[in-house]
Amino acid sequence: MPLALVALAIGAFGIGTTEFVIVGLLPQVAADLQVSVPVAGLLVSGYALSVVVGAPLITALGSRVPRKRLLIGLTVLFVLGNLLCAVADSYPLLMVGRVVAALCHGAFFGVGAVVAAGLVAPDRQARAIALMFTGLTVANVLGVPMGTALGQEFGWRSTFWAVTALGVVGLLGILVLVPPQPASDGLRGELEVFRRPGVWLALGTTALGFGAVFASFTYIAPMMTEVAGFSPGAVTWLLVLFGAGLCAGNVLGGRAADRSLMPSLYAILAVLAVVLAVFVFTARSQVLGAVTIGLLGVAGFATVAPLQSWVLQQAEGAPALASAANIAAFNLGNAAGAWLGGVAIDAGFGYTAPNWVAALMAVAALGVAVAGGRIRTLVPLR
């Protein structure tokens, strides 16, 4: 695999850390800023919604900018947003910092996925995308648990100082390792692909499927401490377990997608729905709960490379904006899942209720994927 993919993975590591680390710090942030845990959970939704807006908007505005230069600018924006989080002394200011940092997220992964796919042969594109997203999975194995431990020991703001430094490292990696990249062919061609129904069904599957993951994952900390009986310090190691599952799922999903894209996606979504339904019951046991968290990581992130590859296939000929829109769809699902999980908790159904919400979302994603697969079969790509 080209060395440039390593540079993209470095950038993904920093972005992945800042996106997910807030989950392990929700109780600390809520207590320090004097808000409830569900309100603190909106920092996940706020970030995700900013990605939803920023992914297509910034990709469209940057459609004439050479892709390497665009990636550099996006990373600079990421650094500035996390710096604002590090100095935030109020909930609104922290939310602003999260929103600023998130503006770069979707465009970075969207453009980066196109660059990654273009660096390899067609039969290895899903694995190339998976390699770039390895930065995101490693962020969950190392970045998020270490950031959580750092925040618990020295205060949550110290985590964002560390993430700011990570962003600088990622910026240097892109400057040194990514070769010059041309701009896209223009905004009009990129917009044309949204007339294809298969693109919208792929985006809908992404939103529902990954929303299912976040409906559960957002509330892992209170679920494990209040229901399973883990100590707050044990959350760090549970996040390591989840991150290890993400790494395994990322590799498995990429390889499966290169062999047989749609059947692999159907199977992964079905497994995800089962794992989430089972988690309602296993969350009451420390051992079974921990095992299920690992399986959730595997099933959840095994969807990423197939979903991104599916969108790139559906948007053949002008993939950049559709790729960024798919990252927006991931985060629209994240926001909706986090919100719906919080609604279930606020309604008095308990901290395991988000898992029921998540399982239903996964089933819905499978249904949309099957419909999209039929359209793809009946109307082949040209």
Side-chain angles (χ1 to χ4, degrees), residues 311-325:
V311 168
L312 291 178
Q313 286 188 5
Q314 292 294 325
E316 184 181 16
L321 187 56
S323 179

Side-chain angles (χ1 to χ4, degrees), residues 74-129:
L74 293 169
T75 308
V76 169
L77 186 64
F78 167 80
V79 170
L80 293 176
N82 281 284
L83 182 61
L84 186 58
C85 290
V87 300
D89 59 358
S90 67
Y91 179 82
L93 188 57
L94 178 58
M95 180 66 82
V96 170
R98 294 279 293 169
V99 167
V100 170
L103 285 173
C104 76
H105 181 125
F108 182 92
F109 280 106
V111 174
V114 174
V115 172
L119 292 171
V120 298
D123 63 346
R124 296 179 65 84
Q125 288 182 349
R127 273 172 282 188
I129 292 170

Side-chain angles (χ1 to χ4, degrees), residues 263-329:
S264 296
L265 182 58
Y266 302 153
I268 292 166
L269 289 172
V271 170
L272 177 62
V274 171
V275 169
L276 287 165
V278 168
F279 200 15
V280 175
F281 307 100
T282 59
R284 303 183 184 281
S285 164
Q286 291 189 356
V287 174
L288 295 178
V291 170
T292 309
I293 287 172
L295 293 175
L296 176 59
V298 174
F301 225 78
T303 64
V304 173
L307 287 169
Q308 197 72 16
S309 297
W310 186 22
V311 168
L312 291 178
Q313 286 188 5
Q314 292 294 325
E316 184 181 16
L321 187 56
S323 179
N326 198 49
I327 302 301

Side-chain angles (χ1 to χ4, degrees), residues 245-274:
L246 297 185
C247 288
N250 186 49
V251 173
L252 292 172
R255 291 179 177 177
D258 276 334
R259 286 196 295 267
S260 182
L261 178 58
M262 297 310 295
S264 296
L265 182 58
Y266 302 153
I268 292 166
L269 289 172
V271 170
L272 177 62
V274 171

Side-chain angles (χ1 to χ4, degrees), residues 34 38 42 84 136 190 193 267 318 320 333 351 354:
Q34 299 180 349
L42 293 177
L84 186 58
L136 197 58
E190 296 285 347
V193 301
Y351 282 120

